[in-house]
Amino acid sequence: MIRGHIARVVKGLRERLGRARKKFGRKIRAGLAFGARAIGAGLLAAVGGLLAAVPGLLLALPRRLLGGRGKSPLTWGGRVARLIFVRLIVRARAMYAEASGANDVLTRFKEPGRRPAKFGFPTDYFGGNLMSVFQRETEAMREAYSRYEPPMMLAVAAEYWGLQEGITSVGEAVRQLAVNTSDKYPADAKMADLVAQVYDLLHQAAEAAAEVGPLFAKVHADDLRRHEDPRPGEHMWNILERRADGSYSMRSPSQFVAVCQDIAHVYARYEPGHMAQVAAEYEGIPAGIENVAAAIHLLQVRSAETYPVEKGVVEAIADLHGLLQKAASAAQELMPAFRRLHAPDIARHEDPRNGESGEAMWDTP
């Protein structure tokens, strides 16, 4: 018996070392690819910035002679270069997270309670470095979920069953933003439609998430039966001689649901007092959805490499992750559309005529 136990321990160590080597190799390859993409992003940004700077230089002098207002054409090069680089580097980071085997919910939060720093480039919306409430709450959700380690498979099952409710809670926050954009905020009606389109994609993801729990129950019917309808002496079929104390039922609350519900609750009470704060919400929606996608991807990775589940369950979660990435991609269009549709309003803040005190004479009571 002792010899068999030692053999199982040694086998388990070998398997863990094998998985660790595999993970390390994937991260190295993904890191090299990311480095190449980052260099390429810098080169393309430099070329794009130079091309945009040429017409800016040509138009700067005539504009000054004519007394033009608004942002100087001399800034075109830097703005275009920054936009190209940020877009490409965000895509490169997403590709790295996918190739390395995790959207690094774990490695981005190296210390409990510590949130990741914002990207170091200037923001592109008026109002300064405001933090989106949606983005802040989803980061908290992502951090909390990264620390959760289900103690047994019935707890993992609760996570699969809770995916739909969790994503529905996130979608409810986006739906609330769409409703407020339509009914409360002085925004173009097209903005409400764009936010609603992002919500529709999240709704599709929630519908796909509803299939994960039943699929898990179907392919693991025999495993679940050992807990739900145990035979006399069922423990004699256990892999290890001792089991962890405690038990879970299929009705146990999902940790994913718990952390996602906070997002909807906080957002339902949030009342922005200025359009700069609303702009920050539009800006933060893509990153917020990516935080949710990262939590789902963590569940996917653990299901593939840690939890004893069938491949079909892992593939279903991967499909769900793809739908969330699609929603995040669609949300990238919110801020450019906001700036385009509200250019005169934003210009009053970014380039006030005769200073803020002068421009303030146009403020409404």
Side-chain angles (χ1 to χ4, degrees):
M1 182 180 295
I2 296 176
R3 183 178 299 174
H5 179 70
I6 294 174
R8 287 194 294 271
V9 172
V10 172
K11 181 180 179 181
L13 289 173
R14 287 176 177 173
E15 290 177 350
R16 285 195 291 270
L17 288 174
R19 288 196 296 267
R21 285 195 297 268
K22 182 180 178 182
K23 287 183 180 179
F24 182 73
R26 291 174 67 182
K27 285 184 177 293
I28 290 296
R29 292 191 295 272
L32 293 175
F34 173 79
R37 294 189 186 101
I39 293 173
L43 293 175
L44 289 174
V47 172
L50 289 174
L51 293 176
V54 173
L57 290 172
L58 296 176
L59 294 174
L61 182 59
R63 174 183 177 280
R64 181 176 293 274
L65 294 176
L66 295 174
R69 293 184 178 274
K71 287 194 173 182
S72 171
L74 293 175
T75 65
W76 288 0
R79 288 168 62 83
V80 169
R82 185 176 68 247
L83 178 62
I84 293 174
F85 183 78
V86 170
R87 293 253 177 169
L88 292 178
I89 205 67
V90 167
R91 183 179 302 173
R93 287 173 61 186
M95 294 176 70
Y96 168 79
E98 187 69 26
S100 63
N103 245 331
D104 271 307
V105 178
L106 295 175
T107 56
R108 290 190 189 179
F109 297 99
K110 297 180 180 180
E111 301 173 7
R114 180 179 178 182
R115 294 179 178 175
K118 288 178 68 67
F119 193 69
F121 285 88
T123 55
D124 197 33
Y125 59 85
F126 80 98
N129 294 315
L130 296 176
M131 168 64 86
S132 160
V133 171
F134 181 78
Q135 182 177 351
R136 184 190 68 209
E137 292 302 314
T138 55
E139 284 181 359
M141 175 278 297
R142 177 178 174 177
E143 179 182 1
Y145 198 64
S146 72
R147 298 196 301 265
Y148 176 59
E149 296 185 1
M152 60 188 303
M153 280 307 296
L154 291 185
V156 176
E159 297 306 304
Y160 297 145
W161 284 102
L163 287 174
Q164 181 188 25
E165 186 176 351
I167 294 176
T168 297
S169 294
V170 175
E172 178 60 24
V174 177
R175 189 194 69 82
Q176 189 65 51
L177 178 60
V179 170
N180 290 343
T181 299
S182 175
D183 299 342
K184 291 184 178 181
Y185 306 151
D188 193 285
K190 293 180 180 178
M191 284 303 303
D193 293 338
L194 291 173
V195 180
Q197 291 174 17
V198 176
Y199 166 73
D200 287 340
L201 291 171
L202 289 174
H203 181 66
Q204 292 177 26
E207 290 181 336
E211 302 175 3
V212 177
L215 174 63
F216 171 79
K218 179 181 178 181
V219 299
H220 291 279
D222 291 335
D223 298 308
L224 292 169
R225 191 177 298 116
R226 296 187 60 230
H227 293 269
E228 297 170 348
D229 187 21
R231 297 162 291 189
E234 188 66 62
H235 66 278
M236 295 175 67
W237 281 108
N238 289 354
I239 297 296
L240 300 178
E241 295 179 7
R242 298 183 61 186
R243 292 178 55 191
D245 293 334
S247 61
Y248 292 82
S249 71
M250 294 298 289
R251 298 183 182 87
S252 296
S254 160
Q255 177 70 7
F256 182 70
V257 170
V259 293
C260 286
Q261 283 179 338
D262 290 341
I263 300 171
H265 293 162
V266 169
Y267 214 75
R269 299 191 300 268
Y270 178 52
E271 293 287 345
H274 194 277
M275 283 305 291
Q277 295 170 314
V278 176
E281 294 307 308
Y282 298 141
E283 181 78 9
I285 290 294
I289 297 176
E290 286 175 358
N291 284 329
V292 180
I296 296 296
H297 192 63
L298 174 62
L299 180 60
Q300 173 193 338
V301 172
R302 287 177 173 175
S303 298
E305 300 181 358
T306 304
Y307 305 149
V309 298
E310 297 294 334
K311 185 177 180 181
V313 176
V314 179
E315 292 174 347
I317 300 174
D319 292 340
L320 175 59
H321 176 258
L323 288 173
L324 289 172
Q325 291 283 39
K326 183 178 179 181
S329 178
Q332 292 282 358
E333 303 301 322
L334 292 178
M335 195 59 209
F338 178 78
R339 290 192 65 88
R340 183 176 65 254
L341 294 170
H342 302 89
D345 298 307
I346 295 174
R348 295 184 60 240
H349 292 265
E350 294 183 335
D351 190 22
R353 293 163 289 190
N354 289 326
E356 292 183 354
S357 59
E359 192 65 65
M361 296 178 67
W362 280 109
D363 285 355
T364 57

